[in-house]
Amino acid sequence: MNRHGIFSAGCTLLLAFGLASTAVAGAASAPKIHWKSERITLPTSDLTFTGPGGQVLNTYCLMCHSADFVNEQPAVSLVTWKVEVNKMKNAFGAPIPEDQIDHIAEVLYQRFGPPKP
Amino acid sequence: MWEDFSTDEVTVPQWGRREFLKMSALLGAAGLFAGHSLSARAAAMIDLPFVNGERKLIPAGTFPQKGEMILQRVRPPLLETPWSVFDRHIFTPNDQFYVRWHMPDFPDHVDVKSYRIRVTGLVKKPLEISLEELLHDFPLREMAAVNQCSGNSRGFVNPRVNGAQWANGAMGNAVWAGVALRELLQRAGVKKGATHLAFRSLEKGMAPFPADTRFEKVLDLEHGNDGEVMLAYAMNGATMPLLNGFPVRLVVPGWYSTYWVKMLTEIEVMDHPGTGFWMTKAYLIPDTPTGYMTPGEKGVKMVPINRMKPRSFFTEPGSGARVAKGHPVKVGGIAMGGSTALERVLFSADGGAHWQKASLGHDYGPYGFRAWQASFTPEKTGAYTLMVKAVNRQGEEQPLQGGWNPGGFMYNAIEHLPLQAV
């Protein structure tokens, strides 16, 4: 079984031009792996929505994702916002009551305004 | 709070002592550490070049095992690779490789002793493979390959589309080491009538989310058995960060990252295509030769996203750089062929009127980045628009205008770089 590596990683663009053949000829052997269990702690976000409709967004958006993701979105049409909110409910399973869908879409549309040309 | 990172259960292989000290200082000074809120503190900002593109540039260690990244979303994490990283590395360092998770309850721990990869379904001998067995009982396969999010560059799609608003940094190039999937399938013995392979992972939907949100991707058996699709246990010579799929990730060279299932635990050999959400509702593209359509077009047949398109990028000089009239300017960057090898890279210094062939750097294999270089001499002062275009072995080349589809997927328009000659 051939366990010799064929690549040498971490090479810069300069190396990719100038010294690449050397880097490959002197290739490292197969990666040495020592399995070790891992547990990570992730940072959290305490960012919340304020202003008109902030409460309904805090109730139904933050259960799955942080508020930054919404704030970064582009302005899209009201119809597109409805598609997005429905996707969160129907595809991702967010427990958003049926009678809140249109309201949430309207709140988002008002926040971002009409799509920019 | 460095202790949080240095327990027996966490390995941070990429950081040397210098980075350790730098990070400790940062942690101490700003009180930033995992498990605490990111919102309240000041961070450097970066402006991605589209409307509403202001993002935080978060320091190393903000996310476990990750270096400095562009923060797209805290939970579940979306982290973009800063563009300067591609300027310095043809292989993207593991700690700055982009991160993309869909569901809020994705696993935050992996027990390597009990971890198994199961090969089930239409096989003569179902397998349960431990990590040690994967490492020692199968031949090593290594491959350079670009992993690119289907929605990379979505922020440039016009008209704009909802979703992660990435610039160009939701991609990375690595040397993947592991085992060809074909080896596992041979050992299990695929039964007659099998047509597809389903890939599942530790990522499963939990309450209040319905069970069918579990992450499952499906490939044709023939594709999975091609000797190139592989199970990677290392990237760039080290185990991968948990956020990038530790301990084992599927590598589907030339295909978008949605198929590169992280924390892979099960391969089911099936006699039918995928029926789950992630194959039938998400990551769909128009069934057209380009994968694009006209915005608002009705009744378009949709199919699962698949092969990557060719792309090329500038890394030098920087956008808006001032150069001297009458002196040669060195330009360069990185390029990829997509689903097949890169054939050539073309460079234009006059807004696309004339193209010249760029020279290409070392070829690490058909699926990785190649460096490219060209040179031009601005003969007069004023504004220049540089362009770069990749062409792959199938003759597919980048379009001048980016295409559109409802997911904002597969953007690959020719990059423009403005320069000022003085």
Side-chain angles (χ1 to χ4, degrees):
Chain A
M1 199 189 314
N2 176 14
R3 298 201 65 87
H4 291 283
I6 51 171
F7 298 108
S8 174
C11 152
T12 65
L13 290 191
L14 184 70
L15 275 173
F17 264 99
L19 300 167
S21 55
T22 320
V24 170
S29 57
K32 289 183 178 59
I33 304 293
H34 302 287
W35 292 116
K36 204 170 179 186
S37 293
E38 293 205 18
R39 181 179 293 277
I40 59 169
T41 308
L42 291 162
T44 59
S45 169
D46 59 12
L47 189 66
T48 54
F49 298 101
T50 54
Q55 191 51 49
V56 74
L57 300 185
N58 287 330
T59 304
Y60 295 113
C61 301
L62 301 185
M63 63 177 97
C64 296
H65 58 75
S66 46
D68 47 4
F69 192 55
V70 176
N71 295 337
E72 291 162 4
Q73 294 304 308
V76 295
S77 68
L78 180 59
V79 173
T80 304
W81 278 121
K82 278 186 192 169
V83 170
E84 283 304 307
V85 180
N86 270 304
K87 185 166 91 184
M88 298 303 150
K89 178 181 171 63
N90 300 327
F92 285 93
I96 304 172
E98 202 58 54
D99 63 4
Q100 293 295 304
I101 302 275
D102 285 358
H103 176 49
I104 294 170
E106 183 65 35
V107 164
L108 290 165
Y109 181 71
Q110 291 302 332
R111 270 178 188 245
F112 288 87
K116 294 166 182 75
Chain B
M1 292 304 291
W2 176 256
E3 291 82 345
D4 281 0
F5 294 90
S6 58
T7 64
D8 282 342
E9 293 207 321
V10 180
T11 52
V12 190
Q14 296 91 347
W15 295 338
R17 177 167 167 78
R18 199 166 156 179
E19 287 73 20
F20 172 94
L21 292 172
K22 200 166 72 185
M23 204 181 99
S24 300
L26 276 169
L27 293 171
L32 321 175
F33 36 80
H36 287 245
S37 174
L38 273 171
S39 308
R41 66 190 163 72
M45 302 303 287
I46 188 167
D47 233 340
L48 302 179
F50 42 76
V51 174
N52 203 12
E54 196 180 45
R55 301 287 183 273
K56 281 179 181 162
L57 190 64
I58 50 171
T62 308
F63 280 80
Q65 304 169 322
K66 302 307 289 185
E68 182 183 70
M69 299 294 284
I70 298 168
L71 180 64
Q72 292 279 5
R73 183 173 69 194
V74 176
R75 181 181 64 97
L78 295 176
L79 309 177
E80 176 165 348
T81 303
W83 192 252
S84 57
V85 172
F86 298 104
D87 195 11
R88 297 192 302 269
H89 303 279
I90 196 91
F91 291 108
T92 318
N94 292 3
D95 71 337
Q96 290 192 290
F97 213 94
Y98 83 99
V99 168
R100 199 266 183 268
W101 289 88
H102 296 94
M103 292 185 277
D105 55 348
F106 75 93
D108 65 354
H109 63 282
V110 171
D111 174 30
V112 296
K113 286 206 175 63
S114 62
Y115 194 92
R116 295 290 181 277
I117 296 161
R118 296 179 172 83
V119 182
T120 63
L122 295 172
V123 290
K124 296 179 184 107
K125 192 181 121 194
L127 304 179
E128 261 198 39
I129 302 163
S130 71
L131 291 173
E132 287 297 335
E133 287 164 342
L134 189 70
L135 192 60
H136 298 296
D137 295 358
F138 296 90
L140 170 72
R141 181 80 160 93
E142 280 185 295
M143 187 186 299
V146 174
N147 170 301
Q148 180 181 214
C149 181
S150 309
N152 190 24
S153 318
R154 186 182 282 115
F156 301 116
V157 172
N158 184 24
R160 297 283 294 270
V161 172
N162 290 120
Q165 301 300 310
W166 306 108
N168 289 335
M171 62 174 186
N173 183 34
V175 176
W176 307 93
V179 175
L181 175 55
R182 184 164 65 188
E183 300 286 341
L184 274 70
L185 295 174
Q186 263 170 16
R187 189 170 294 195
V190 174
K191 283 186 180 169
K192 223 176 147 187
T195 57
H196 289 80
L197 301 167
F199 301 92
R200 299 176 195 128
S201 71
L202 287 185
E203 195 180 11
K204 295 179 180 70
M206 282 162 59
F209 311 101
D212 62 7
T213 55
R214 77 173 170 183
F215 197 76
E216 178 189 287
K217 297 301 289 190
V218 176
L219 294 176
D220 288 352
L221 171 63
E222 196 184 344
H223 183 189
N225 218 1
D226 68 358
E228 292 194 322
V229 174
M230 59 183 275
L231 285 71
Y233 46 68
M235 62 192 283
N236 297 326
T239 54
M240 53 197 84
L242 190 137
L243 290 173
N244 291 105
F246 178 85
V248 174
R249 163 169 218 175
L250 193 69
V251 168
V252 187
W255 282 43
Y256 286 99
S257 182
T258 179
Y259 294 95
W260 299 42
V261 177
K262 302 188 278 290
M263 300 178 179
L264 181 72
T265 55
E266 187 181 0
I267 300 153
E268 185 186 340
V269 183
M270 313 194 298
D271 61 1
H272 60 271
T275 55
F277 168 71
W278 297 100
M279 290 303 295
T280 61
K281 294 208 174 75
Y283 289 103
L284 300 183
I285 57 166
D287 188 16
T288 58
T290 56
Y292 302 135
M293 59 185 267
T294 307
E297 205 178 333
K298 300 280 180 222
V300 179
K301 187 191 170 201
M302 304 294 278
V303 294
I305 195 168
N306 45 80
R307 292 174 183 82
M308 291 201 291
K309 291 172 176 282
R311 296 198 74 171
S312 58
F313 304 90
F314 290 98
T315 58
E316 64 168 337
S319 179
R322 291 160 78 87
V323 297
K325 182 187 92 162
H327 294 272
V329 179
K330 207 172 85 175
V331 293
I334 49 175
M336 59 186 274
S339 62
T340 184
L342 187 67
E343 176 68 32
R344 60 186 181 276
V345 171
L346 300 168
F347 163 73
S348 172
D350 57 7
H354 301 88
W355 295 89
Q356 69 180 77
K357 224 170 145 178
S359 57
L360 297 181
H362 184 74
D363 185 359
Y364 291 94
Y367 303 111
F369 282 145
R370 284 184 81 171
W372 67 268
Q373 273 186 354
S375 159
F376 89 106
T377 304
E379 302 295 353
K380 51 186 194 314
T381 57
Y384 283 79
T385 299
L386 311 190
M387 294 185 183
V388 63
K389 172 163 73 173
V391 184
N392 72 17
R393 284 279 154 83
Q394 289 178 334
E396 193 184 358
E397 60 177 66
Q398 293 179 253
L400 191 57
Q401 299 285 333
W404 192 92
N405 54 44
F409 297 135
M410 303 198 298
Y411 178 90
N412 78 328
I414 288 172
E415 297 287 321
H416 293 45
L417 182 79
L419 274 194
Q420 200 68 33
V422 292

